[in-house]
mmCIF file with all atom_site columns, all heavy atoms in Angstrom:
data_model
loop_
_atom_site.group_PDB
_atom_site.id
_atom_site.type_symbol
_atom_site.label_atom_id
_atom_site.label_alt_id
_atom_site.label_comp_id
_atom_site.label_asym_id
_atom_site.label_entity_id
_atom_site.label_seq_id
_atom_site.pdbx_PDB_ins_code
_atom_site.Cartn_x
_atom_site.Cartn_y
_atom_site.Cartn_z
_atom_site.occupancy
_atom_site.B_iso_or_equiv
_atom_site.pdbx_formal_charge
_atom_site.auth_seq_id
_atom_site.auth_comp_id
_atom_site.auth_asym_id
_atom_site.auth_atom_id
_atom_site.pdbx_PDB_model_num
ATOM 1   N N   . ALA A 1 4  ? 0.429   7.528   -0.116 1.00 92.00 ? 4  ALA A N   1
ATOM 2   C CA  . ALA A 1 4  ? -0.679  8.406   -0.495 1.00 92.00 ? 4  ALA A CA  1
ATOM 3   C C   . ALA A 1 4  ? -2.025  7.737   -0.233 1.00 92.00 ? 4  ALA A C   1
ATOM 4   O O   . ALA A 1 4  ? -2.986  8.394   0.180  1.00 92.00 ? 4  ALA A O   1
ATOM 5   C CB  . ALA A 1 4  ? -0.560  8.784   -1.967 1.00 92.00 ? 4  ALA A CB  1
ATOM 6   N N   . GLU A 1 5  ? -2.087  6.439   -0.449 1.00 93.00 ? 5  GLU A N   1
ATOM 7   C CA  . GLU A 1 5  ? -3.326  5.701   -0.178 1.00 93.00 ? 5  GLU A CA  1
ATOM 8   C C   . GLU A 1 5  ? -3.610  5.670   1.322  1.00 93.00 ? 5  GLU A C   1
ATOM 9   O O   . GLU A 1 5  ? -4.766  5.765   1.747  1.00 93.00 ? 5  GLU A O   1
ATOM 10  C CB  . GLU A 1 5  ? -3.220  4.274   -0.709 1.00 93.00 ? 5  GLU A CB  1
ATOM 11  C CG  . GLU A 1 5  ? -3.114  4.178   -2.214 1.00 93.00 ? 5  GLU A CG  1
ATOM 12  C CD  . GLU A 1 5  ? -2.805  2.766   -2.691 1.00 93.00 ? 5  GLU A CD  1
ATOM 13  O OE1 . GLU A 1 5  ? -2.564  1.875   -1.847 1.00 93.00 ? 5  GLU A OE1 1
ATOM 14  O OE2 . GLU A 1 5  ? -2.797  2.566   -3.911 1.00 93.00 ? 5  GLU A OE2 1
ATOM 15  N N   . ILE A 1 6  ? -2.565  5.563   2.110  1.00 93.00 ? 6  ILE A N   1
ATOM 16  C CA  . ILE A 1 6  ? -2.730  5.515   3.564  1.00 93.00 ? 6  ILE A CA  1
ATOM 17  C C   . ILE A 1 6  ? -3.195  6.873   4.086  1.00 93.00 ? 6  ILE A C   1
ATOM 18  O O   . ILE A 1 6  ? -4.056  6.957   4.954  1.00 93.00 ? 6  ILE A O   1
ATOM 19  C CB  . ILE A 1 6  ? -1.424  5.065   4.238  1.00 93.00 ? 6  ILE A CB  1
ATOM 20  C CG1 . ILE A 1 6  ? -1.171  3.599   3.887  1.00 93.00 ? 6  ILE A CG1 1
ATOM 21  C CG2 . ILE A 1 6  ? -1.482  5.261   5.747  1.00 93.00 ? 6  ILE A CG2 1
ATOM 22  C CD1 . ILE A 1 6  ? 0.139   3.057   4.376  1.00 93.00 ? 6  ILE A CD1 1
ATOM 23  N N   . ARG A 1 7  ? -2.635  7.956   3.548  1.00 93.00 ? 7  ARG A N   1
ATOM 24  C CA  . ARG A 1 7  ? -3.042  9.303   3.979  1.00 93.00 ? 7  ARG A CA  1
ATOM 25  C C   . ARG A 1 7  ? -4.504  9.584   3.660  1.00 93.00 ? 7  ARG A C   1
ATOM 26  O O   . ARG A 1 7  ? -5.145  10.379  4.349  1.00 93.00 ? 7  ARG A O   1
ATOM 27  C CB  . ARG A 1 7  ? -2.159  10.353  3.313  1.00 93.00 ? 7  ARG A CB  1
ATOM 28  C CG  . ARG A 1 7  ? -0.817  10.490  3.960  1.00 93.00 ? 7  ARG A CG  1
ATOM 29  C CD  . ARG A 1 7  ? -0.027  11.649  3.390  1.00 93.00 ? 7  ARG A CD  1
ATOM 30  N NE  . ARG A 1 7  ? 1.362   11.228  3.287  1.00 93.00 ? 7  ARG A NE  1
ATOM 31  C CZ  . ARG A 1 7  ? 1.991   10.947  2.164  1.00 93.00 ? 7  ARG A CZ  1
ATOM 32  N NH1 . ARG A 1 7  ? 1.381   11.066  1.011  1.00 93.00 ? 7  ARG A NH1 1
ATOM 33  N NH2 . ARG A 1 7  ? 3.235   10.536  2.175  1.00 93.00 ? 7  ARG A NH2 1
ATOM 34  N N   . ALA A 1 8  ? -5.044  8.940   2.630  1.00 94.00 ? 8  ALA A N   1
ATOM 35  C CA  . ALA A 1 8  ? -6.420  9.174   2.223  1.00 94.00 ? 8  ALA A CA  1
ATOM 36  C C   . ALA A 1 8  ? -7.426  8.477   3.140  1.00 94.00 ? 8  ALA A C   1
ATOM 37  O O   . ALA A 1 8  ? -8.615  8.802   3.104  1.00 94.00 ? 8  ALA A O   1
ATOM 38  C CB  . ALA A 1 8  ? -6.622  8.708   0.785  1.00 94.00 ? 8  ALA A CB  1
ATOM 39  N N   . LEU A 1 9  ? -6.982  7.551   3.970  1.00 94.00 ? 9  LEU A N   1
ATOM 40  C CA  . LEU A 1 9  ? -7.880  6.806   4.842  1.00 94.00 ? 9  LEU A CA  1
ATOM 41  C C   . LEU A 1 9  ? -8.267  7.633   6.062  1.00 94.00 ? 9  LEU A C   1
ATOM 42  O O   . LEU A 1 9  ? -7.500  8.482   6.526  1.00 94.00 ? 9  LEU A O   1
ATOM 43  C CB  . LEU A 1 9  ? -7.212  5.512   5.306  1.00 94.00 ? 9  LEU A CB  1
ATOM 44  C CG  . LEU A 1 9  ? -6.845  4.493   4.229  1.00 94.00 ? 9  LEU A CG  1
ATOM 45  C CD1 . LEU A 1 9  ? -6.101  3.317   4.868  1.00 94.00 ? 9  LEU A CD1 1
ATOM 46  C CD2 . LEU A 1 9  ? -8.065  3.993   3.494  1.00 94.00 ? 9  LEU A CD2 1
ATOM 47  N N   . SER A 1 10 ? -9.451  7.347   6.602  1.00 94.00 ? 10 SER A N   1
ATOM 48  C CA  . SER A 1 10 ? -9.881  8.003   7.838  1.00 94.00 ? 10 SER A CA  1
ATOM 49  C C   . SER A 1 10 ? -9.210  7.319   9.022  1.00 94.00 ? 10 SER A C   1
ATOM 50  O O   . SER A 1 10 ? -8.556  6.278   8.874  1.00 94.00 ? 10 SER A O   1
ATOM 51  C CB  . SER A 1 10 ? -11.403 7.908   7.977  1.00 94.00 ? 10 SER A CB  1
ATOM 52  O OG  . SER A 1 10 ? -11.781 6.562   8.200  1.00 94.00 ? 10 SER A OG  1
ATOM 53  N N   . ASP A 1 11 ? -9.379  7.870   10.201 1.00 94.00 ? 11 ASP A N   1
ATOM 54  C CA  . ASP A 1 11 ? -8.765  7.303   11.399 1.00 94.00 ? 11 ASP A CA  1
ATOM 55  C C   . ASP A 1 11 ? -9.278  5.887   11.669 1.00 94.00 ? 11 ASP A C   1
ATOM 56  O O   . ASP A 1 11 ? -8.506  4.999   12.033 1.00 94.00 ? 11 ASP A O   1
ATOM 57  C CB  . ASP A 1 11 ? -9.039  8.192   12.620 1.00 94.00 ? 11 ASP A CB  1
ATOM 58  C CG  . ASP A 1 11 ? -8.298  9.518   12.533 1.00 94.00 ? 11 ASP A CG  1
ATOM 59  O OD1 . ASP A 1 11 ? -7.308  9.599   11.770 1.00 94.00 ? 11 ASP A OD1 1
ATOM 60  O OD2 . ASP A 1 11 ? -8.709  10.461  13.229 1.00 94.00 ? 11 ASP A OD2 1
ATOM 61  N N   . GLU A 1 12 ? -10.571 5.683   11.481 1.00 96.00 ? 12 GLU A N   1
ATOM 62  C CA  . GLU A 1 12 ? -11.159 4.364   11.709 1.00 96.00 ? 12 GLU A CA  1
ATOM 63  C C   . GLU A 1 12 ? -10.643 3.360   10.687 1.00 96.00 ? 12 GLU A C   1
ATOM 64  O O   . GLU A 1 12 ? -10.355 2.204   11.025 1.00 96.00 ? 12 GLU A O   1
ATOM 65  C CB  . GLU A 1 12 ? -12.689 4.424   11.639 1.00 96.00 ? 12 GLU A CB  1
ATOM 66  C CG  . GLU A 1 12 ? -13.332 5.253   12.736 1.00 96.00 ? 12 GLU A CG  1
ATOM 67  C CD  . GLU A 1 12 ? -13.302 6.751   12.440 1.00 96.00 ? 12 GLU A CD  1
ATOM 68  O OE1 . GLU A 1 12 ? -13.162 7.142   11.260 1.00 96.00 ? 12 GLU A OE1 1
ATOM 69  O OE2 . GLU A 1 12 ? -13.411 7.531   13.407 1.00 96.00 ? 12 GLU A OE2 1
ATOM 70  N N   . GLN A 1 13 ? -10.517 3.796   9.447  1.00 96.00 ? 13 GLN A N   1
ATOM 71  C CA  . GLN A 1 13 ? -10.004 2.914   8.403  1.00 96.00 ? 13 GLN A CA  1
ATOM 72  C C   . GLN A 1 13 ? -8.541  2.567   8.659  1.00 96.00 ? 13 GLN A C   1
ATOM 73  O O   . GLN A 1 13 ? -8.109  1.446   8.386  1.00 96.00 ? 13 GLN A O   1
ATOM 74  C CB  . GLN A 1 13 ? -10.162 3.558   7.028  1.00 96.00 ? 13 GLN A CB  1
ATOM 75  C CG  . GLN A 1 13 ? -11.599 3.649   6.552  1.00 96.00 ? 13 GLN A CG  1
ATOM 76  C CD  . GLN A 1 13 ? -11.733 4.456   5.277  1.00 96.00 ? 13 GLN A CD  1
ATOM 77  O OE1 . GLN A 1 13 ? -11.015 5.429   5.077  1.00 96.00 ? 13 GLN A OE1 1
ATOM 78  N NE2 . GLN A 1 13 ? -12.650 4.043   4.418  1.00 96.00 ? 13 GLN A NE2 1
ATOM 79  N N   . LEU A 1 14 ? -7.775  3.528   9.180  1.00 96.00 ? 14 LEU A N   1
ATOM 80  C CA  . LEU A 1 14 ? -6.374  3.259   9.523  1.00 96.00 ? 14 LEU A CA  1
ATOM 81  C C   . LEU A 1 14 ? -6.275  2.198   10.613 1.00 96.00 ? 14 LEU A C   1
ATOM 82  O O   . LEU A 1 14 ? -5.449  1.283   10.517 1.00 96.00 ? 14 LEU A O   1
ATOM 83  C CB  . LEU A 1 14 ? -5.687  4.541   10.017 1.00 96.00 ? 14 LEU A CB  1
ATOM 84  C CG  . LEU A 1 14 ? -5.071  5.445   8.974  1.00 96.00 ? 14 LEU A CG  1
ATOM 85  C CD1 . LEU A 1 14 ? -4.484  6.683   9.637  1.00 96.00 ? 14 LEU A CD1 1
ATOM 86  C CD2 . LEU A 1 14 ? -4.024  4.741   8.168  1.00 96.00 ? 14 LEU A CD2 1
ATOM 87  N N   . ALA A 1 15 ? -7.111  2.312   11.624 1.00 96.00 ? 15 ALA A N   1
ATOM 88  C CA  . ALA A 1 15 ? -7.101  1.329   12.709 1.00 96.00 ? 15 ALA A CA  1
ATOM 89  C C   . ALA A 1 15 ? -7.473  -0.056  12.174 1.00 96.00 ? 15 ALA A C   1
ATOM 90  O O   . ALA A 1 15 ? -6.866  -1.063  12.561 1.00 96.00 ? 15 ALA A O   1
ATOM 91  C CB  . ALA A 1 15 ? -8.059  1.757   13.815 1.00 96.00 ? 15 ALA A CB  1
ATOM 92  N N   . GLU A 1 16 ? -8.450  -0.109  11.292 1.00 97.00 ? 16 GLU A N   1
ATOM 93  C CA  . GLU A 1 16 ? -8.869  -1.382  10.698 1.00 97.00 ? 16 GLU A CA  1
ATOM 94  C C   . GLU A 1 16 ? -7.762  -1.961  9.820  1.00 97.00 ? 16 GLU A C   1
ATOM 95  O O   . GLU A 1 16 ? -7.494  -3.161  9.857  1.00 97.00 ? 16 GLU A O   1
ATOM 96  C CB  . GLU A 1 16 ? -10.147 -1.190  9.890  1.00 97.00 ? 16 GLU A CB  1
ATOM 97  C CG  . GLU A 1 16 ? -10.693 -2.467  9.294  1.00 97.00 ? 16 GLU A CG  1
ATOM 98  C CD  . GLU A 1 16 ? -11.091 -3.500  10.333 1.00 97.00 ? 16 GLU A CD  1
ATOM 99  O OE1 . GLU A 1 16 ? -11.507 -3.114  11.441 1.00 97.00 ? 16 GLU A OE1 1
ATOM 100 O OE2 . GLU A 1 16 ? -10.976 -4.707  10.034 1.00 97.00 ? 16 GLU A OE2 1
ATOM 101 N N   . LYS A 1 17 ? -7.095  -1.113  9.042  1.00 97.00 ? 17 LYS A N   1
ATOM 102 C CA  . LYS A 1 17 ? -5.999  -1.564  8.183  1.00 97.00 ? 17 LYS A CA  1
ATOM 103 C C   . LYS A 1 17 ? -4.858  -2.113  9.028  1.00 97.00 ? 17 LYS A C   1
ATOM 104 O O   . LYS A 1 17 ? -4.248  -3.133  8.682  1.00 97.00 ? 17 LYS A O   1
ATOM 105 C CB  . LYS A 1 17 ? -5.521  -0.395  7.306  1.00 97.00 ? 17 LYS A CB  1
ATOM 106 C CG  . LYS A 1 17 ? -4.426  -0.764  6.345  1.00 97.00 ? 17 LYS A CG  1
ATOM 107 C CD  . LYS A 1 17 ? -4.933  -1.720  5.284  1.00 97.00 ? 17 LYS A CD  1
ATOM 108 C CE  . LYS A 1 17 ? -3.833  -2.031  4.297  1.00 97.00 ? 17 LYS A CE  1
ATOM 109 N NZ  . LYS A 1 17 ? -4.186  -3.111  3.398  1.00 97.00 ? 17 LYS A NZ  1
ATOM 110 N N   . LEU A 1 18 ? -4.556  -1.456  10.133 1.00 97.00 ? 18 LEU A N   1
ATOM 111 C CA  . LEU A 1 18 ? -3.502  -1.922  11.034 1.00 97.00 ? 18 LEU A CA  1
ATOM 112 C C   . LEU A 1 18 ? -3.857  -3.294  11.597 1.00 97.00 ? 18 LEU A C   1
ATOM 113 O O   . LEU A 1 18 ? -3.012  -4.195  11.645 1.00 97.00 ? 18 LEU A O   1
ATOM 114 C CB  . LEU A 1 18 ? -3.291  -0.912  12.169 1.00 97.00 ? 18 LEU A CB  1
ATOM 115 C CG  . LEU A 1 18 ? -2.212  -1.249  13.177 1.00 97.00 ? 18 LEU A CG  1
ATOM 116 C CD1 . LEU A 1 18 ? -0.844  -1.333  12.511 1.00 97.00 ? 18 LEU A CD1 1
ATOM 117 C CD2 . LEU A 1 18 ? -2.200  -0.230  14.286 1.00 97.00 ? 18 LEU A CD2 1
ATOM 118 N N   . LYS A 1 19 ? -5.101  -3.465  11.982 1.00 98.00 ? 19 LYS A N   1
ATOM 119 C CA  . LYS A 1 19 ? -5.558  -4.744  12.519 1.00 98.00 ? 19 LYS A CA  1
ATOM 120 C C   . LYS A 1 19 ? -5.432  -5.850  11.466 1.00 98.00 ? 19 LYS A C   1
ATOM 121 O O   . LYS A 1 19 ? -4.956  -6.951  11.769 1.00 98.00 ? 19 LYS A O   1
ATOM 122 C CB  . LYS A 1 19 ? -7.012  -4.609  12.971 1.00 98.00 ? 19 LYS A CB  1
ATOM 123 C CG  . LYS A 1 19 ? -7.572  -5.803  13.666 1.00 98.00 ? 19 LYS A CG  1
ATOM 124 C CD  . LYS A 1 19 ? -8.997  -5.517  14.126 1.00 98.00 ? 19 LYS A CD  1
ATOM 125 C CE  . LYS A 1 19 ? -9.627  -6.737  14.740 1.00 98.00 ? 19 LYS A CE  1
ATOM 126 N NZ  . LYS A 1 19 ? -11.016 -6.484  15.153 1.00 98.00 ? 19 LYS A NZ  1
ATOM 127 N N   . GLU A 1 20 ? -5.820  -5.550  10.227 1.00 97.00 ? 20 GLU A N   1
ATOM 128 C CA  . GLU A 1 20 ? -5.734  -6.527  9.142  1.00 97.00 ? 20 GLU A CA  1
ATOM 129 C C   . GLU A 1 20 ? -4.279  -6.902  8.852  1.00 97.00 ? 20 GLU A C   1
ATOM 130 O O   . GLU A 1 20 ? -3.960  -8.083  8.672  1.00 97.00 ? 20 GLU A O   1
ATOM 131 C CB  . GLU A 1 20 ? -6.361  -5.967  7.872  1.00 97.00 ? 20 GLU A CB  1
ATOM 132 C CG  . GLU A 1 20 ? -7.855  -5.830  7.917  1.00 97.00 ? 20 GLU A CG  1
ATOM 133 C CD  . GLU A 1 20 ? -8.403  -5.085  6.700  1.00 97.00 ? 20 GLU A CD  1
ATOM 134 O OE1 . GLU A 1 20 ? -7.643  -4.815  5.752  1.00 97.00 ? 20 GLU A OE1 1
ATOM 135 O OE2 . GLU A 1 20 ? -9.607  -4.769  6.724  1.00 97.00 ? 20 GLU A OE2 1
ATOM 136 N N   . CYS A 1 21 ? -3.407  -5.905  8.814  1.00 97.00 ? 21 CYS A N   1
ATOM 137 C CA  . CYS A 1 21 ? -1.994  -6.165  8.514  1.00 97.00 ? 21 CYS A CA  1
ATOM 138 C C   . CYS A 1 21 ? -1.342  -7.004  9.602  1.00 97.00 ? 21 CYS A C   1
ATOM 139 O O   . CYS A 1 21 ? -0.547  -7.904  9.308  1.00 97.00 ? 21 CYS A O   1
ATOM 140 C CB  . CYS A 1 21 ? -1.237  -4.853  8.329  1.00 97.00 ? 21 CYS A CB  1
ATOM 141 S SG  . CYS A 1 21 ? -1.591  -4.022  6.783  1.00 97.00 ? 21 CYS A SG  1
ATOM 142 N N   . ARG A 1 22 ? -1.654  -6.709  10.844 1.00 98.00 ? 22 ARG A N   1
ATOM 143 C CA  . ARG A 1 22 ? -1.072  -7.483  11.940 1.00 98.00 ? 22 ARG A CA  1
ATOM 144 C C   . ARG A 1 22 ? -1.563  -8.930  11.918 1.00 98.00 ? 22 ARG A C   1
ATOM 145 O O   . ARG A 1 22 ? -0.802  -9.855  12.190 1.00 98.00 ? 22 ARG A O   1
ATOM 146 C CB  . ARG A 1 22 ? -1.374  -6.825  13.279 1.00 98.00 ? 22 ARG A CB  1
ATOM 147 C CG  . ARG A 1 22 ? -0.521  -5.595  13.501 1.00 98.00 ? 22 ARG A CG  1
ATOM 148 C CD  . ARG A 1 22 ? -0.677  -5.023  14.878 1.00 98.00 ? 22 ARG A CD  1
ATOM 149 N NE  . ARG A 1 22 ? 0.351   -4.010  15.108 1.00 98.00 ? 22 ARG A NE  1
ATOM 150 C CZ  . ARG A 1 22 ? 0.271   -3.096  16.057 1.00 98.00 ? 22 ARG A CZ  1
ATOM 151 N NH1 . ARG A 1 22 ? -0.776  -3.062  16.860 1.00 98.00 ? 22 ARG A NH1 1
ATOM 152 N NH2 . ARG A 1 22 ? 1.231   -2.211  16.198 1.00 98.00 ? 22 ARG A NH2 1
ATOM 153 N N   . ALA A 1 23 ? -2.837  -9.125  11.576 1.00 98.00 ? 23 ALA A N   1
ATOM 154 C CA  . ALA A 1 23 ? -3.364  -10.485 11.458 1.00 98.00 ? 23 ALA A CA  1
ATOM 155 C C   . ALA A 1 23 ? -2.687  -11.219 10.301 1.00 98.00 ? 23 ALA A C   1
ATOM 156 O O   . ALA A 1 23 ? -2.339  -12.407 10.424 1.00 98.00 ? 23 ALA A O   1
ATOM 157 C CB  . ALA A 1 23 ? -4.876  -10.443 11.255 1.00 98.00 ? 23 ALA A CB  1
ATOM 158 N N   . GLU A 1 24 ? -2.487  -10.516 9.184  1.00 97.00 ? 24 GLU A N   1
ATOM 159 C CA  . GLU A 1 24 ? -1.819  -11.126 8.042  1.00 97.00 ? 24 GLU A CA  1
ATOM 160 C C   . GLU A 1 24 ? -0.371  -11.492 8.382  1.00 97.00 ? 24 GLU A C   1
ATOM 161 O O   . GLU A 1 24 ? 0.112   -12.573 8.025  1.00 97.00 ? 24 GLU A O   1
ATOM 162 C CB  . GLU A 1 24 ? -1.845  -10.190 6.838  1.00 97.00 ? 24 GLU A CB  1
ATOM 163 C CG  . GLU A 1 24 ? -1.232  -10.792 5.610  1.00 97.00 ? 24 GLU A CG  1
ATOM 164 C CD  . GLU A 1 24 ? -1.274  -9.882  4.397  1.00 97.00 ? 24 GLU A CD  1
ATOM 165 O OE1 . GLU A 1 24 ? -1.825  -8.760  4.485  1.00 97.00 ? 24 GLU A OE1 1
ATOM 166 O OE2 . GLU A 1 24 ? -0.740  -10.290 3.348  1.00 97.00 ? 24 GLU A OE2 1
ATOM 167 N N   . LEU A 1 25 ? 0.319   -10.611 9.101  1.00 97.00 ? 25 LEU A N   1
ATOM 168 C CA  . LEU A 1 25 ? 1.693   -10.885 9.502  1.00 97.00 ? 25 LEU A CA  1
ATOM 169 C C   . LEU A 1 25 ? 1.753   -12.112 10.410 1.00 97.00 ? 25 LEU A C   1
ATOM 170 O O   . LEU A 1 25 ? 2.639   -12.960 10.270 1.00 97.00 ? 25 LEU A O   1
ATOM 171 C CB  . LEU A 1 25 ? 2.305   -9.674  10.205 1.00 97.00 ? 25 LEU A CB  1
ATOM 172 C CG  . LEU A 1 25 ? 3.758   -9.808  10.626 1.00 97.00 ? 25 LEU A CG  1
ATOM 173 C CD1 . LEU A 1 25 ? 4.661   -10.046 9.418  1.00 97.00 ? 25 LEU A CD1 1
ATOM 174 C CD2 . LEU A 1 25 ? 4.204   -8.567  11.372 1.00 97.00 ? 25 LEU A CD2 1
ATOM 175 N N   . PHE A 1 26 ? 0.803   -12.225 11.316 1.00 97.00 ? 26 PHE A N   1
ATOM 176 C CA  . PHE A 1 26 ? 0.745   -13.394 12.187 1.00 97.00 ? 26 PHE A CA  1
ATOM 177 C C   . PHE A 1 26 ? 0.592   -14.669 11.359 1.00 97.00 ? 26 PHE A C   1
ATOM 178 O O   . PHE A 1 26 ? 1.295   -15.656 11.582 1.00 97.00 ? 26 PHE A O   1
ATOM 179 C CB  . PHE A 1 26 ? -0.417  -13.262 13.177 1.00 97.00 ? 26 PHE A CB  1
ATOM 180 C CG  . PHE A 1 26 ? -0.619  -14.485 14.027 1.00 97.00 ? 26 PHE A CG  1
ATOM 181 C CD1 . PHE A 1 26 ? 0.181   -14.713 15.127 1.00 97.00 ? 26 PHE A CD1 1
ATOM 182 C CD2 . PHE A 1 26 ? -1.606  -15.409 13.710 1.00 97.00 ? 26 PHE A CD2 1
ATOM 183 C CE1 . PHE A 1 26 ? -0.009  -15.846 15.913 1.00 97.00 ? 26 PHE A CE1 1
ATOM 184 C CE2 . PHE A 1 26 ? -1.790  -16.539 14.483 1.00 97.00 ? 26 PHE A CE2 1
ATOM 185 C CZ  . PHE A 1 26 ? -0.987  -16.758 15.584 1.00 97.00 ? 26 PHE A CZ  1
#
Side-chain angles (χ1 to χ4, degrees):
E5 294 172 354
I6 292 175
R7 282 187 219 107
L9 298 176
S10 68
D11 291 340
E12 295 81 21
Q13 290 172 325
L14 273 178
E16 183 62 31
K17 182 67 178 170
L18 181 62
K19 186 177 176 182
E20 290 172 8
C21 286
R22 285 187 169 162
E24 183 179 358
L25 182 61
F26 175 80

